[in-house]
Amino acid sequence: MSVKQLQEEILKLKKKNDVTILAHYYQSIGIQDIADYLGDSLGLSRIVNEKVTSEYVIFAGVLFMAETASILNQEKHILMPNKNAGCSLADYLTPDLIYKFRKMHPELPVVTYVNSTAAVKAVSDISCTSSNAVNIVQKISHEFNVNKVLFGPDSNLADFVEQKSNIKTIKMPENGHCAVHSQITPKDVFESRKKYSDALVLVHPECIRKVRDLADFAGSTAQMYNRVKNSRSDEKKFIIGTECGMLERMAKDFPEKEFYLLKDEITCFDMKKNNLSQIKYLLNNLDDKDFEVRVPPKIAEQALKPINKMLEFS
Ligand code: 13P
Ligand code: SF4
């Protein structure tokens, strides 16, 4: 069945059911186009918190995103097209590692990137996303009256926060990183700038410092989207340093601009584990428990506090 046929069937089934489809910018463009809401991690959490009224939610993203949705909305059924879509960055941090760091620095707040497990969130003081990390770290360090925080699991985002604020971060662990974004090298930036000389380079904060420093802009996926949306008419070409789904979205929404990927392939294979056939299956089988993401109630209750605190602060 073609992508178009699958999309038409999904849209028909969606009308019949009380269901909302959420998708992250890294999903295939076919999925993005049938979603009710599209966004970055913060935007999707806000939508779950404020806008979703349906009993069922299909979350096309990775596990930590669906878990966050389930924590924020424990009475709803959060379904994932493929529950094996994880995030290797999230796996760098465990509650035990946080306990170890807390013991060494009992006075410091624990800030965890939303790309973390529910169990990790449950023992954190506050969550953050790539779009609000600087603001969150500034506010929580002010509340604790300190100039340092414990931060995990992304050491590159921690470093980005240090660059943009006067707050130091102790990284939990020292080398947590996203396997997709950390593959981008300064050489890739030099080469793509040479190829597309008058283009602006936009990268994600999960990239290493040397790459971020060479770029014109570093921000979350939604911030990159808005940078292009609000660009001047003479800013025509953009080199995109994040997962290729983002480029597909912008190329479709801004046909008057030109987009190039920072290197030949920037793909998050976990994000790409979801597909339209699985979404169609779910719409016909909303009560198939194998696809439901449910965080154990005790962990969900504890993890809700740092997520809500983040939403209040941002
Ligand atoms: P955003 O919050 O910027 O969408 O990032 C999510 C992510 O997983 C980046 O790799
Ligand atoms: Fe995780 Fe990196 Fe994929 Fe984002 S791009 S979901 S951080 S592995």
Side-chain angles (χ1 to χ4, degrees):
M1 197 180 280
S2 72
V3 168
K4 199 163 180 293
Q5 284 168 321
L6 270 170
Q7 287 178 318
E8 282 167 3
E9 291 208 11
I10 287 171
L11 294 177
K12 261 190 236 154
L13 285 165
K14 202 151 63 86
K15 271 196 189 144
K16 276 203 252 159
N17 292 297
D18 186 27
V19 58
T20 307
I21 301 181
L22 304 183
H24 185 265
Y25 285 121
Y26 294 166
Q27 293 300 292
S28 69
I29 197 75
I31 293 180
Q32 292 188 33
D33 285 347
I34 51 90
D36 295 294
Y37 296 101
L38 190 59
D40 68 356
S41 308
L42 181 63
L44 292 171
S45 305
R46 282 217 182 100
I47 284 158
V48 169
N49 206 28
E50 295 161 14
K51 295 225 162 96
V52 173
T53 51
S54 63
E55 187 183 349
Y56 292 89
V57 176
I58 296 179
F59 205 121
V62 289
L63 186 62
F64 75 80
M65 295 179 174
E67 280 186 343
T68 305
S70 161
I71 292 163
L72 279 165
N73 242 320
Q74 288 164 49
E75 73 288 357
K76 295 201 187 300
H77 297 277
I78 312 291
L79 311 169
M80 273 185 83
N82 186 339
K83 274 169 72 175
N84 292 321
C87 167
S88 55
L89 168 60
D91 298 336
Y92 274 97
L93 190 54
T94 60
D96 280 350
L97 195 62
I98 294 184
Y99 293 138
K100 202 176 125 194
F101 276 91
R102 269 203 195 276
K103 239 186 189 167
M104 289 189 284
H105 307 278
E107 75 290 2
L108 299 184
V110 169
V111 183
T112 51
Y113 191 24
V114 73
N115 299 38
S116 57
T117 63
V120 157
K121 290 184 179 80
V123 295
S124 304
D125 293 303
I126 193 161
S127 303
C128 73
T129 73
S130 57
S131 63
N132 63 16
V134 176
N135 181 31
I136 293 291
V137 166
Q138 281 171 329
K139 287 194 171 147
I140 197 77
S141 56
H142 183 72
E143 186 181 301
F144 277 62
N145 199 20
V146 289
N147 59 5
K148 241 187 232 170
V149 300
L150 298 170
F151 193 105
D154 189 16
S155 57
N156 293 310
L157 183 62
D159 183 53
F160 178 72
V161 168
E162 284 195 9
Q163 270 186 306
K164 301 273 174 192
S165 70
N166 54 357
I167 314 295
K168 292 269 162 265
T169 60
I170 296 177
K171 298 164 188 72
M172 308 178 295
E174 191 57 47
N175 64 341
H177 62 273
C178 161
V180 180
H181 289 93
S182 60
Q183 273 176 24
I184 303 172
T185 64
K187 189 167 167 252
D188 295 323
V189 182
F190 290 129
E191 282 179 0
S192 57
R193 275 207 195 274
K194 220 192 268 168
K195 237 169 152 179
Y196 315 109
S197 54
D198 47 352
L200 289 174
V201 176
L202 317 186
V203 301
H204 198 275
E206 288 172 13
C207 293
I208 61 170
R209 182 187 280 224
K210 281 184 182 159
V211 166
R212 295 194 313 264
D213 285 352
L214 288 169
D216 298 294
F217 179 84
S220 77
T221 52
Q223 289 168 339
M224 281 190 217
Y225 184 92
N226 287 329
R227 176 64 186 82
V228 173
K229 191 175 171 195
N230 301 321
S231 59
R232 297 190 313 257
S233 56
D234 62 327
E235 294 175 330
K236 288 211 162 21
K237 295 182 188 173
F238 296 88
I239 295 167
I240 304 301
T242 195
E243 216 274 348
C244 54
M246 185 78 252
L247 182 147
E248 287 185 89
R249 177 77 272 140
M250 296 198 281
K252 199 158 180 186
D253 290 356
F254 309 111
E256 71 286 7
K257 310 272 184 192
E258 288 171 37
F259 298 94
Y260 308 96
L261 208 56
L262 188 37
K263 59 190 292 167
D264 284 350
E265 194 182 27
I266 314 178
T267 305
C268 174
F269 291 103
D270 276 285
M271 283 282 183
K272 297 303 201 248
K273 281 179 181 165
N274 300 312
N275 65 43
L276 286 168
S277 306
Q278 288 155 329
I279 293 178
K280 183 184 155 197
Y281 170 84
L282 278 184
L283 285 162
N284 282 317
N285 299 274
L286 288 168
D287 288 315
D288 187 335
K289 293 284 173 243
D290 285 348
F291 293 82
E292 184 158 341
V293 175
R294 208 166 262 288
V295 174
K298 207 168 163 214
I299 293 183
E301 223 171 274
Q302 289 168 335
L304 184 60
K305 291 178 206 156
I307 297 171
N308 270 340
K309 196 168 174 90
M310 167 186 82
L311 293 173
E312 275 163 34
F313 270 14
S314 50

